[in-house]
């Protein structure tokens, strides 16, 4: 195991009390020989924005997919608002509905309109009525600047627009935290900023966020902490200024020099 | 051979051929396609479920039925099921089962195997992220399947399902072995009665060809129309 992974209480806006997301020694193996996660521990307080970065294949995406049990893991525990994710008795659909997730490839449902994409889970999971779900969807579409796209299908929208719809779809469930899995990696360069703008606004409004991304500008701007992963382990878990000022591990220094040098 | 080709025998037989024979054939085809698709979808979901022993059961069924000639299955059902029913009910003699029902059950069970392979391909062709996105929103397995996976799989596979239905339409002619009055059965009976087998079989071939060909052209058009934009 590499360096220790305790949470520094750096973020000014983080409140005391139980963290929204808490991971304790999470390990995962694909095969007995191939370990993807190596005793990862961290926590995310209410209102905190944590950026997870690291070289590809370091387990960042796998780690955040463990938070809402999209990926199973063999060792350790994860708690979301005190509810144990890896407990067989946990009502997973209910727990997942409280955590929003945005995927690299948007994953809007192509056979449903934008409106239906935003209302499906509201109605089926939260049992909201049609009027309430529609109103909520409209409000969120307006917020991400896509009010006029409601009757269209995802295939008719640009990548940046689709990702903004995906964010709105996750927000429609009134989540306590949002997970972002490389939300801008599949986008054309000119569309990256429109998605980041929405995320920055969300962060400033106090949303609890865990973001896997290579966008270091975003990290500098809004992240309270940066987690650096390598080979499945959390190598650094430090306040943002500290990470960009003087990363302690050589790995992180190398990584930063590679992505910030141009 | 064609010098004495008798068109009149065909014209006289038209009402019987179409109003009874073709109606029977189409009814059997459509109902078997519907039940076959439903049962096939269940088989596909079982195979992909990963919940022991469902994939094993579905896989064994698919492999078993696929290895049998359709004709054998038809005979098997027609001659054995009355005896099985007799045993089950404890009746003194074999319980005759309506031949149409026999044919429908046979074709549904048999075709389900092919429809299940089509649906399985359709489900597997969807990006894994679609299922993950559904779960991430808090939808249950049933809701993810019903609202997200199956509608897309069905729509993507509709042309293949319909093409398989056209094959089924041709295969239903095998019920002639049960002396059922499907289109080909009636054509054969009239041909034998009037000694005009050439006329009747040529005409039957023409009708099967025209319907199947027109249907596959329609499927091709539909294919361009229903493709989901990604």
């Amino acid at each position: 195991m590499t360096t220790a992974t305790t949470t520094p209480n750096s973020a000014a806006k983080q409140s005391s009390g139980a963290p929204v997301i808490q991971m304790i020694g999470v390990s995962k193996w694909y095969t007995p020989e191939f370990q993807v996660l190596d005793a990862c521990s961290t926590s995310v307080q209410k209102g905190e924005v944590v950026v997870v970065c690291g070289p590809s294949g370091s387990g960042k995406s796998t780690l955040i997919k463990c938070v809402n049990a999209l990926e199973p893991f063999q060792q350790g525990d994860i708690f979301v608002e005190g509810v144990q994710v890896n407990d067989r008795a946990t009502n997973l659909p209910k727990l997942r509905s409280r955590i929003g997730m945005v995927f690299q490839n948007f994953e809007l449902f192509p056979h449903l309109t934008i409106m239906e994409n935003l209302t499906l889970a509201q109605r089926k999971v939260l049992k909201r009525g049609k009027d309430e779900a529609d109103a909520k969807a409209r409000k969120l579409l307006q917020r991400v600047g896509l009010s006029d796209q409601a009757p269209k299908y995802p295939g008719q929208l640009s990548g940046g627009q689709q990702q903004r719809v995906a964010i709105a779809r996750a927000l429609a469930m009134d989540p306590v935290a949002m997970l972002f899995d490389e939300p801008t990696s599949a986008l054309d360069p000119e569309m990256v900023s429109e998605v980041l703008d929405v995320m920055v606004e969300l962060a400033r409004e106090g949303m609890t966020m865990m973001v896997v991304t290579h966008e270091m500008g975003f990290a500098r701007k809004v992240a309270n902490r940066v987690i650096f992963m390598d080979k499945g382990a959390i190598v650094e878990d430090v306040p943002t200024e500290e990470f960009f000022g003087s990363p302690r591990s050589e790995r992180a220094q190398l990584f930063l020099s590679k992505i910030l040098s141009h | 051979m064609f010098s004495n080709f008798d068109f009149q025998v065909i014209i006289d037989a038209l009402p019987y051929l179409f109003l009874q024979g073709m109606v029977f054939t189409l009814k059997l085809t459509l109902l078997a396609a519907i039940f076959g698709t439903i049962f096939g979808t269940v088989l596909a979901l079982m195979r992909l479920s990963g919940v022991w022993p469902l994939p094993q059961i579905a896989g064994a069924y698919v492999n078993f039925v696929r290895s049998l000639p359709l004709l054998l299955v038809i005979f098997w059902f027609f001659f054995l099921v009355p005896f099985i029913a007799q045993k089950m009910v404890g009746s003194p003699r074999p319980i005759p089962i309506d031949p149409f029902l026999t044919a429908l059950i046979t074709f549904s069970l048999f075709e389900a195997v092919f429809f299940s392979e089509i649906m399985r391909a359709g489900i597997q062709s969807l990006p894994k992220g679609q299922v993950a996105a559904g779960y991430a929103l808090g939808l249950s397995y049933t809701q993810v399947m019903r609202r997200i996976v199956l509608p897309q799989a069905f729509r993507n596979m509709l042309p293949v399902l319909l093409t398989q239905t056209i094959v089924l339409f041709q295969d239903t002619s095998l019920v002639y072995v049960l002396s059922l009055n499907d289109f080909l059965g009636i054509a054969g009976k009239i041909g034998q009665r009037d000694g005009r087998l050439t006329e009747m079989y040529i005409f039957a071939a023409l009708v099967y060809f025209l319907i199947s060909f027109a249907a596959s052209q329609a499927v091709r058009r539909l294919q361009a129309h229903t493709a989901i934009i990604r």
Side-chain angles (χ1 to χ4, degrees):
Chain A
M1 240 328 277
T2 32
T3 37
T5 54
T6 40
T7 313
N9 54 351
S10 58
K13 60 181 171 180
Q14 88 185 37
S15 61
S16 53
V20 179
I21 299 167
Q22 185 165 27
M23 299 183 154
I24 306 163
V26 174
S27 292
K28 176 182 170 78
W29 288 263
Y30 279 133
T31 66
E33 297 81 37
F34 182 32
Q35 188 168 8
V36 262
L37 293 178
D38 185 0
C40 297
S41 299
T42 190
S43 63
V44 183
Q45 302 292 329
K46 192 170 185 326
E48 231 185 343
V49 176
V50 175
V51 160
V52 184
C53 63
S56 64
S58 58
K60 313 171 295 268
S61 294
T62 311
L63 184 73
I64 71 161
K65 282 180 180 156
C66 286
V67 174
N68 59 355
L70 286 183
E71 290 274 1
F73 50 94
Q74 286 80 33
Q75 245 174 45
D77 293 303
I78 298 181
F79 297 90
V80 173
E81 286 198 308
V83 178
Q84 193 175 350
V85 174
N86 52 316
D87 181 352
R88 284 189 137 242
T90 298
N91 181 345
L92 275 186
K94 194 179 166 199
L95 181 134
R96 284 169 173 151
S97 73
R98 299 181 53 74
I99 314 169
M101 183 149 198
V102 175
F103 297 83
Q104 184 174 355
N105 295 312
F106 330 135
E107 303 301 350
L108 295 179
F109 307 128
H111 60 302
L112 302 177
T113 63
I114 300 303
M115 197 61 175
E116 289 164 339
N117 264 279
L118 265 77
T119 52
L120 175 67
Q122 286 193 67
R123 302 198 56 193
K124 298 296 162 197
V125 180
L126 303 180
K127 310 285 180 205
R128 286 183 182 151
K130 188 181 185 322
D131 292 345
E132 192 190 353
D134 283 2
K136 180 96 191 169
R138 279 212 187 79
K139 214 173 95 192
L140 285 163
L141 280 178
Q142 192 178 7
R143 180 171 165 179
V144 298
L146 295 168
S147 299
D148 43 347
Q149 312 291 343
K152 290 191 185 168
Y153 284 88
Q156 296 169 284
L157 270 56
S158 74
Q161 290 174 322
Q162 288 193 50
Q163 195 60 301
R164 278 145 69 200
V165 171
I167 295 174
R169 178 176 72 178
L171 290 175
M173 305 297 284
D174 293 322
V176 293
M178 287 279 285
L179 306 173
F180 292 83
D181 184 11
E182 306 208 24
T184 55
S185 299
L187 292 173
D188 290 337
E190 77 266 26
M191 292 170 183
V192 169
S193 66
E194 66 186 70
V195 171
L196 287 179
D197 286 348
V198 172
M199 291 169 61
V200 167
E201 200 190 306
L202 204 56
R204 296 214 162 123
E205 283 167 18
M207 175 59 79
T208 309
M209 292 162 68
M210 201 169 173
V211 186
V212 173
T213 186
H214 293 292
E215 298 291 341
M216 289 301 123
F218 171 80
R220 268 183 207 270
K221 211 187 236 174
V222 293
N224 300 108
R225 272 177 27 237
V226 176
I227 291 175
F228 179 78
M229 288 186 75
D230 190 36
K231 295 186 181 134
I234 294 179
V235 180
E236 298 218 27
D237 184 348
V238 294
T240 309
E241 317 81 61
E242 205 173 305
F243 182 75
F244 288 107
S246 54
R248 279 172 294 188
S249 70
E250 257 178 60
R251 284 273 178 195
Q253 283 176 23
L254 188 69
F255 176 76
L256 276 181
S257 72
K258 271 186 185 158
I259 59 172
L260 293 180
S261 60
H262 48 89
Chain B
M1 172 187 171
F2 291 106
S3 54
N4 57 349
F5 200 90
D6 187 356
F7 286 102
Q8 197 54 45
V9 72
I10 295 172
I11 292 164
D12 290 345
L14 282 180
Y16 187 32
L17 270 174
F18 280 93
L19 291 181
Q20 208 173 330
M22 191 48 83
V23 166
F24 179 99
T25 296
L26 289 178
K27 211 165 92 180
L28 182 59
T29 305
L30 291 180
L31 288 175
I34 290 168
F35 291 129
T37 304
I38 294 171
F39 184 40
T41 304
V42 173
L43 283 174
L45 288 175
M46 281 171 74
R47 262 196 123 166
L48 296 171
S49 70
V51 182
W52 188 89
L54 298 181
Q56 287 76 11
I57 293 173
Y61 179 81
V62 168
N63 288 325
F64 176 66
V65 173
R66 260 213 308 214
S67 317
L68 296 175
L70 175 53
L71 201 54
L72 181 71
V73 181
I74 294 172
F75 273 134
W76 206 76
F77 256 84
F78 192 66
F79 293 111
L80 285 186
V81 169
F83 287 99
I84 295 171
Q86 175 195 9
K87 279 261 164 60
M88 275 165 55
V89 190
S91 146
R93 67 194 63 165
I95 297 169
I97 295 185
D98 175 49
F100 179 78
L101 201 61
T102 309
L104 179 59
I105 293 172
T106 311
F107 278 104
S108 300
L109 292 178
F110 193 85
E111 290 298 323
V113 164
F114 298 95
F115 286 119
S116 92
E117 292 296 272
I118 295 168
M119 287 308 286
R120 187 163 73 124
I123 293 169
Q124 284 182 318
S125 71
L126 293 181
K128 296 271 166 294
Q130 287 284 301
V131 176
Y135 284 141
L137 284 166
L139 297 171
S140 64
Y141 170 84
T142 318
Q143 288 169 329
V144 168
M145 287 302 149
R146 175 154 170 231
R147 308 277 166 187
I148 297 164
V149 173
L150 290 180
Q152 290 188 64
F154 190 77
R155 216 165 136 172
N156 293 344
M157 288 293 135
L158 190 59
V160 192
L161 291 169
L162 290 174
T163 304
Q164 182 63 31
T165 304
I166 296 171
V167 175
L168 170 63
F169 166 70
Q170 294 155 10
D171 284 352
T172 54
S173 59
L174 284 174
V175 296
Y176 89 94
V177 296
L178 307 180
S179 318
L180 289 182
N181 289 330
D182 77 314
F183 185 77
L184 187 63
I186 287 180
K189 278 177 194 167
I190 291 173
Q192 242 152 19
R193 183 195 67 195
D194 298 349
R196 290 289 177 187
L197 276 174
T198 314
E199 282 88 343
M200 293 315 289
Y201 279 148
I202 287 177
F203 180 67
L206 190 69
V207 170
Y208 274 108
F209 170 76
L210 284 177
I211 292 179
S212 302
F213 184 72
S216 16
Q217 291 303 309
V219 168
R220 198 168 291 183
R221 285 199 179 178
L222 184 82
Q223 195 163 14
H225 200 74
T226 54
I228 298 176
I229 334 159
R230 283 210 166 266

